[in-house]
Amino acid sequence: MTFIQKQRNILDVALCSLLRRKGKNLSLVVAYVFVIFLLSSVMFITDALKREASFVLKDTPEMVVQRLVAGRHELVPTAYAKVIGKIKGVQSVSARLWGYYYDATNGANYTLIVHQDLITSPGSIMVGRGVARHLSAGENGTIPFKACDGSYLFLEIRSVLPSESELVSADLVLMSELDFRRLFQMPEGYATDLVLRVRNVRELSTIAAKVVQLLPDTRPVSRDEILRTYDAVFSWRSGLVIVIFAGALCAFLILAWDKATGLSAEEKREIGLLKAVGWETSDVLLMKFWEGMAVSLVSFLTGIILAYLHIFFTSASLFEPALKGWSVLYPDFRLTPFIDGQHAATLFFLTVVPYTAATIVPSWRTATMDPDSVMRS
Amino acid sequence: MIEIKNIRKVFNAGKTNEFAAIDGVSLQVDSDRITVFKGPSGSGKTTLLSILGCMVRPTSGRIEVNGREITSLPEQFLAEIRRSGFGFIFQQYNLIRGMTALENVMIPSYPTGERRSSLKKRAVELLDLFNVSHKAGSRVEELSGGEAQRVTIARALMNNPRFVIADEPTAHLDTKLSREFMDIMLGLKTEGKTILIASHDPVVCDSIAVDRLVGMRDGRITTVDDRR
Amino acid sequence: MIFHPAIIALSAGSLLVSLMLLYSAFHGIRILRNWDMGSGSESQLQLERRTYLISTLVACALGFQLLSLFLFIHTVDCMSGLFVGAMCAAGSLKVNPFGYPAIVLRVINSILAGQWLMINHADNKAFDYPLIRKKYGMLLVIMPLIVAETAIQGAYFMGLKPEVITSCCGVLFSADSEGWASGMAALPPVPVAIAFYGFMAATISAGILFYTRGVGPYLFAGLNLCAATACVIALICLISPYFYESPTHHCPFCILQGEYRYVGYAFYLTLLAGAAAGLGVGTLTPFQGVESLKRIIPELQRTLALVSILSYSGFVVVAVSGILFSNLRLTGY
Ligand SMILES: Nc1ncnc2c1ncn2[C@@H]1O[C@H](COP(=O)(O)OP(=O)(O)O)[C@@H](O)[C@H]1O
Ligand SMILES: [Mg+2]
C-alpha cells in the first residue's frame, strides 16, 4: 500500500515537472509521435495488405498446375487435365484462362479472367469498381479492347462487381471464353493454367509429386506456398522500410539523449532541492522513470492512433505510391482495420525500449547530483 | 545531539586547486538549543551546515547523530536520516515553481508513501501555524517574500524533524520580518527542536533567542560564546 | 534471414540488452577492483553512485528481457506459416539448430537476472553493502550468457530461409516436422499427473511452512525446481491435450495462440514467476547470516515465497479449470 502511494506521489511530481516544461517536452513528444507514426503506419499497411491477400487466396483452389517451357510460363494443353484427373485423391481439375491487359489510352492494367458461370454470353463483361471508376463507365456502357491483331472488340458492361475487398477486385474484368480467345488469339485446347481440388489437403505433396512424374514439364504450386511467399514478401518490404526509417529513429534518440542531458539551471536546482529534503537517488530515478513513461505512453498512443487513422481511414495517403505498386486503379480503397498485440510489442521494442535506454545514463547523472548543491545556488 | 570530531572537508583533492573548506573542526551541538554560526563569507559556514545536515560526507573525521555513527553510511541512508531528522531552510527559498504552496510543503514526505489525505492534513496545519493557510492553493510565484519564507519553514517541519538547519535565512528579509523569523525559531526551540543557523546578520546573532554563538574563519572555529 | 519487423525489433532489443550488460559489467569490474567502504574519498563516492546506474541498467534489461521473451515466442509462433510443415512455434524453432538453444537460454537468463535483482535488492537495503563483491561477480557470469543469447538468437534469425515459390517446384512438402520431444509427449498420463499434483502440493505446503515458520528454505527451493520441471512435463503430456481437445496434440506452444484464448501466456507467466521467486528463496538463504542482513533477508524471502505460492496456485487453477471444462476425457484417467 505504501509502495503504491509512494509511486503515486512521485508520479505526481513527475507529471507536474513535465507540464512545467511544456516547450521542451513538446518538441520531444512531437518527434516521438512522428517516429512511432511512421513505423506503425508501415506495419499497419503491410499487415493489412498481407491479410487482404490471404483473404482473397482463401477461396483459391488448393493447387495450380502451370507448364514451363525453358523456365518460363507457357500455355497448358487442356488435355493435361484428363491425365491429372486420373490421379488418386484429385477431386476435380479445371482449366483457367486469365491474363493481363494494358489499356494504352488510359495507362491502366486490367486483370482479365474468364468466368463461365458469371458470363454466359459472349460480348458482355463484368468489371471491378476500379475499372468502372477509371473509365467512368457504368452498367450497360461499352469498353473497347484492342485485340492483338489490332482490331477492336467492343464489350458491354453487364454489371459492376460488388467488392468485399476492393484492393484485389478493383482491376478485374470478367469475360467469356470466346471473347478472351479472340482478344489474345489463343488457340483452342490450351489454357493459362490448371486448378485442382483435392479430397485431402494432407495428400497435396504426394499429388504434386505424381503430377510432376506424369507430366514432367509442369510445375504444381500449392496455395500455402503462395500464401507463404506473400507473407515473406510483405514482411520483407516492411522490414526494409523500417530499416530505412532507422535513420529517423536514431535522430530521435539523439534528440532524446540531448534533452535528457541538457538540464536547465532551474531543473538542477529542483532536483538538488528534492535530494536535500530527503529524496534518495532511487526516488529521483523513479521520478525520471515516470517522466519517461508518461512521455512514452502519450507519444505511443498518439502515434499509433494517428497511424491507424492514416492507414485505415485516409487510405494511407502518405505512402500509397511507395508500397502498393503498379496500378493506377486504386484511388480510394479501404483496408480492413486490424491491430494486434504483436504490432504494439514490436513498436514498443523499436521505439520505447531504445528511448528508455538512451535516457538511463542522463537520468542517473541527474539523480546522483550532490544534495548540497542547492545550498550553493 | 550531533557530535563531530576533527572534521575536514577538502575540495578538489589531489589537484592544484586543492582547498580545505573545513579544516579540523570538532563540536558538540546540544539538543533544544539555538546555535548560530557566524563568520565572513567563505569561512565555511555553509559547508559545515551541509556536513552537520548529512548532505555531504566529510573527507575525514567522525560524525555521530544521536549517538549513531553515520560517517561511512551509504548515501541512501543519509537521505533517510535527512528526511526524518532534519528540516532545511535555504537562503533562496528554493520553492518549486509551478506547484502550489501546499504541494511544496508536502514534498519532503512524498517518498515515505504516507497516505495523501494525512499528508495534506499535516501540511495545512503547518501552514495554518504560520498564518499562510490562505495561500495554500496559490502557486509559489505569487507569494510575497515573507510568505515564501514561512512556507519554507512549514516545509522544513513537514516530517517533524529533531533538527532545523537554516543557512542565511534572513538575507532577503527586512528587519521586521527577520525579527519575526527569530521569534518563530524561538517558538520551535521551546517545542524541543534543535536549531542550527548560519548567518552574519546582527538581527540573528544578537537575538536573545540564541543560546550559543560560534565564530568561524577560514574553515576553523575561532570563538565559542555560550550565552546560557 | 527474414526481414520481419518483429525480428528486427527483437534483434535490436537483444543487442541493446547486451550492450547494457556489457556496460554494467565493465563498471562492475571497476567497482570490484576499487571498492573501499571505509574511505570517504571522492572516488569511492563516485563508485557508490555507479551502483545505482548498474542497478537501473540491469533492472531495465531484465524488464526488456521478459517482454521480449514473450514477443520472441509470439513471433516464432506467427512465423510458422512461413515454413513448410510448421504449425506453431515448435516447428519454427526447429527450422535450424539455434532455435531451441535460443529460447532455453532466454528462459535461463531471465531467471538468473531475476536472482541478481533479488540479491541486489537485499544488498541495497543494508547499510554496509555486504554483498557487493558477490553481486558484481555474479554479474560477470550473467553478462556472457546474455551476449551468447543475443548471438545465438541472431544466428537463428539469420538461418531462417523463407520458402519462395519461384525457387522450387512445389514438391517441397515434407509430411510434418513433428516429433519434437515426442518422448515427453508419450509419457503415460497417470504417473505424470501424480508427479505434477504431488510436487505442486509439496511445494506449496513447503512454501506455506516457510512463510509461516521460516523453516526449510532449501527444501522449498529444491521442491520448487522439481515442481517447475513437473509443470513443463505435465503441460506437454497432460494439460495441453485438454485445451486442444485432442488426445494426440501435445504441443507446448500452440496454447499460446488466439484459438486457445492465449492461455499459454497465463501458464508461462505463472510458471516463470513461481520458479524465479521460489528459487530466490534458496539463493538468498546463504546470506541470512550476514549481520546487516539479519532482518532484511527473511522478510524478502517471505515475500518471495508468497509470490511463488500464489503463482503456482494460479498455474494449478488454470490447468485444473482447463481440464474440468474441456470436452476431452483421457481414457483411463
Ligand atoms: N564544491 C566546491 N568546490 C570548491 N570549493 C568550494 C566548493 N564549495 C565551497 N567551496 C569553497 O569553500 C569555501 C567555504 O564556502 P562556504 O562554506 O560556502 O562558506 P560560507 O557559507 O561561510 O560563505 C569557499 O571558499 C568556497 O569557495
Ligand atoms: Mg554560505
mmCIF file of all heavy atoms in Angstrom, chain C residues 41-54:
data_model
loop_
_atom_site.group_PDB
_atom_site.id
_atom_site.type_symbol
_atom_site.label_atom_id
_atom_site.label_comp_id
_atom_site.label_asym_id
_atom_site.label_seq_id
_atom_site.Cartn_x
_atom_site.Cartn_y
_atom_site.Cartn_z
ATOM 1 N N SER C 41 36.533 9.045 0.331
ATOM 2 C CA SER C 41 37.096 9.803 -0.780
ATOM 3 C C SER C 41 36.079 9.999 -1.888
ATOM 4 O O SER C 41 35.081 9.305 -1.991
ATOM 5 C CB SER C 41 38.310 9.075 -1.349
ATOM 6 O OG SER C 41 37.876 7.926 -2.011
ATOM 7 N N GLU C 42 36.399 10.953 -2.719
ATOM 8 C CA GLU C 42 35.531 11.293 -3.835
ATOM 9 C C GLU C 42 35.326 10.084 -4.764
ATOM 10 O O GLU C 42 34.227 9.824 -5.220
ATOM 11 C CB GLU C 42 36.179 12.458 -4.597
ATOM 12 C CG GLU C 42 35.265 13.223 -5.488
ATOM 13 C CD GLU C 42 34.111 13.896 -4.753
ATOM 14 O OE1 GLU C 42 34.168 14.037 -3.493
ATOM 15 O OE2 GLU C 42 33.152 14.259 -5.410
ATOM 16 N N SER C 43 36.431 9.324 -4.996
ATOM 17 C CA SER C 43 36.314 8.225 -5.965
ATOM 18 C C SER C 43 35.403 7.129 -5.419
ATOM 19 O O SER C 43 34.642 6.515 -6.159
ATOM 20 C CB SER C 43 37.693 7.668 -6.311
ATOM 21 O OG SER C 43 38.281 7.127 -5.162
ATOM 22 N N GLN C 44 35.460 6.884 -4.109
ATOM 23 C CA GLN C 44 34.560 5.900 -3.521
ATOM 24 C C GLN C 44 33.109 6.353 -3.661
ATOM 25 O O GLN C 44 32.211 5.580 -3.993
ATOM 26 C CB GLN C 44 34.908 5.687 -2.044
ATOM 27 C CG GLN C 44 33.919 4.864 -1.247
ATOM 28 C CD GLN C 44 33.830 3.428 -1.713
ATOM 29 O OE1 GLN C 44 34.699 2.939 -2.428
ATOM 30 N NE2 GLN C 44 32.763 2.753 -1.343
ATOM 31 N N LEU C 45 32.886 7.638 -3.463
ATOM 32 C CA LEU C 45 31.543 8.186 -3.612
ATOM 33 C C LEU C 45 31.041 7.969 -5.036
ATOM 34 O O LEU C 45 29.898 7.561 -5.260
ATOM 35 C CB LEU C 45 31.564 9.681 -3.280
ATOM 36 C CG LEU C 45 30.203 10.340 -3.178
ATOM 37 C CD1 LEU C 45 29.445 9.777 -1.999
ATOM 38 C CD2 LEU C 45 30.347 11.841 -3.039
ATOM 39 N N GLN C 46 31.937 8.207 -5.994
ATOM 40 C CA GLN C 46 31.558 8.005 -7.401
ATOM 41 C C GLN C 46 31.194 6.544 -7.656
ATOM 42 O O GLN C 46 30.230 6.255 -8.352
ATOM 43 C CB GLN C 46 32.703 8.411 -8.337
ATOM 44 C CG GLN C 46 32.954 9.905 -8.390
ATOM 45 C CD GLN C 46 31.683 10.689 -8.690
ATOM 46 O OE1 GLN C 46 30.845 10.255 -9.444
ATOM 47 N NE2 GLN C 46 31.539 11.854 -8.049
ATOM 48 N N LEU C 47 31.971 5.642 -7.065
ATOM 49 C CA LEU C 47 31.673 4.212 -7.246
ATOM 50 C C LEU C 47 30.306 3.874 -6.674
ATOM 51 O O LEU C 47 29.516 3.159 -7.282
ATOM 52 C CB LEU C 47 32.740 3.353 -6.570
ATOM 53 C CG LEU C 47 34.095 3.273 -7.246
ATOM 54 C CD1 LEU C 47 34.993 2.311 -6.484
ATOM 55 C CD2 LEU C 47 33.957 2.814 -8.685
ATOM 56 N N GLU C 48 30.050 4.414 -5.476
ATOM 57 C CA GLU C 48 28.752 4.133 -4.868
ATOM 58 C C GLU C 48 27.626 4.629 -5.755
ATOM 59 O O GLU C 48 26.585 4.000 -5.883
ATOM 60 C CB GLU C 48 28.662 4.775 -3.484
ATOM 61 C CG GLU C 48 29.394 3.956 -2.441
ATOM 62 C CD GLU C 48 29.395 4.619 -1.080
ATOM 63 O OE1 GLU C 48 28.386 5.255 -0.725
ATOM 64 O OE2 GLU C 48 30.417 4.525 -0.380
ATOM 65 N N ARG C 49 27.863 5.779 -6.357
ATOM 66 C CA ARG C 49 26.821 6.311 -7.246
ATOM 67 C C ARG C 49 26.663 5.440 -8.488
ATOM 68 O O ARG C 49 25.569 5.303 -8.998
ATOM 69 C CB ARG C 49 27.158 7.740 -7.629
ATOM 70 C CG ARG C 49 27.013 8.634 -6.432
ATOM 71 C CD ARG C 49 27.143 10.072 -6.747
ATOM 72 N NE ARG C 49 26.833 10.825 -5.539
ATOM 73 C CZ ARG C 49 26.994 12.123 -5.433
ATOM 74 N NH1 ARG C 49 27.463 12.813 -6.456
ATOM 75 N NH2 ARG C 49 26.685 12.737 -4.310
ATOM 76 N N ARG C 50 27.766 4.868 -8.951
ATOM 77 C CA ARG C 50 27.687 3.962 -10.106
ATOM 78 C C ARG C 50 26.770 2.783 -9.823
ATOM 79 O O ARG C 50 26.141 2.263 -10.733
ATOM 80 C CB ARG C 50 29.066 3.378 -10.442
ATOM 81 C CG ARG C 50 30.000 4.305 -11.084
ATOM 82 C CD ARG C 50 29.965 4.187 -12.595
ATOM 83 N NE ARG C 50 30.597 5.389 -13.109
ATOM 84 C CZ ARG C 50 30.274 6.001 -14.216
ATOM 85 N NH1 ARG C 50 29.333 5.514 -14.992
ATOM 86 N NH2 ARG C 50 30.874 7.098 -14.595
ATOM 87 N N THR C 51 26.740 2.343 -8.561
ATOM 88 C CA THR C 51 25.906 1.168 -8.277
ATOM 89 C C THR C 51 24.448 1.445 -8.631
ATOM 90 O O THR C 51 23.736 0.543 -9.051
ATOM 91 C CB THR C 51 25.995 0.745 -6.798
ATOM 92 O OG1 THR C 51 25.504 1.805 -6.002
ATOM 93 C CG2 THR C 51 27.403 0.411 -6.408
ATOM 94 N N TYR C 52 24.023 2.674 -8.484
ATOM 95 C CA TYR C 52 22.649 2.998 -8.876
ATOM 96 C C TYR C 52 22.461 2.814 -10.367
ATOM 97 O O TYR C 52 21.444 2.309 -10.830
ATOM 98 C CB TYR C 52 22.313 4.453 -8.534
ATOM 99 C CG TYR C 52 22.047 4.669 -7.086
ATOM 100 C CD1 TYR C 52 23.007 5.216 -6.249
ATOM 101 C CD2 TYR C 52 20.819 4.331 -6.543
ATOM 102 C CE1 TYR C 52 22.759 5.418 -4.913
ATOM 103 C CE2 TYR C 52 20.548 4.531 -5.211
ATOM 104 C CZ TYR C 52 21.527 5.078 -4.391
ATOM 105 O OH TYR C 52 21.262 5.276 -3.075
ATOM 106 N N LEU C 53 23.464 3.259 -11.119
ATOM 107 C CA LEU C 53 23.379 3.145 -12.576
ATOM 108 C C LEU C 53 23.267 1.671 -12.969
ATOM 109 O O LEU C 53 22.436 1.280 -13.783
ATOM 110 C CB LEU C 53 24.610 3.779 -13.218
ATOM 111 C CG LEU C 53 24.665 3.700 -14.730
ATOM 112 C CD1 LEU C 53 23.482 4.394 -15.359
ATOM 113 C CD2 LEU C 53 25.949 4.300 -15.257
ATOM 114 N N ILE C 54 24.111 0.858 -12.325
ATOM 115 C CA ILE C 54 24.122 -0.557 -12.699
ATOM 116 C C ILE C 54 22.809 -1.227 -12.320
ATOM 117 O O ILE C 54 22.232 -1.978 -13.100
ATOM 118 C CB ILE C 54 25.333 -1.254 -12.061
ATOM 119 C CG1 ILE C 54 26.602 -0.616 -12.635
ATOM 120 C CG2 ILE C 54 25.316 -2.736 -12.326
ATOM 121 C CD1 ILE C 54 27.869 -1.147 -12.063
#
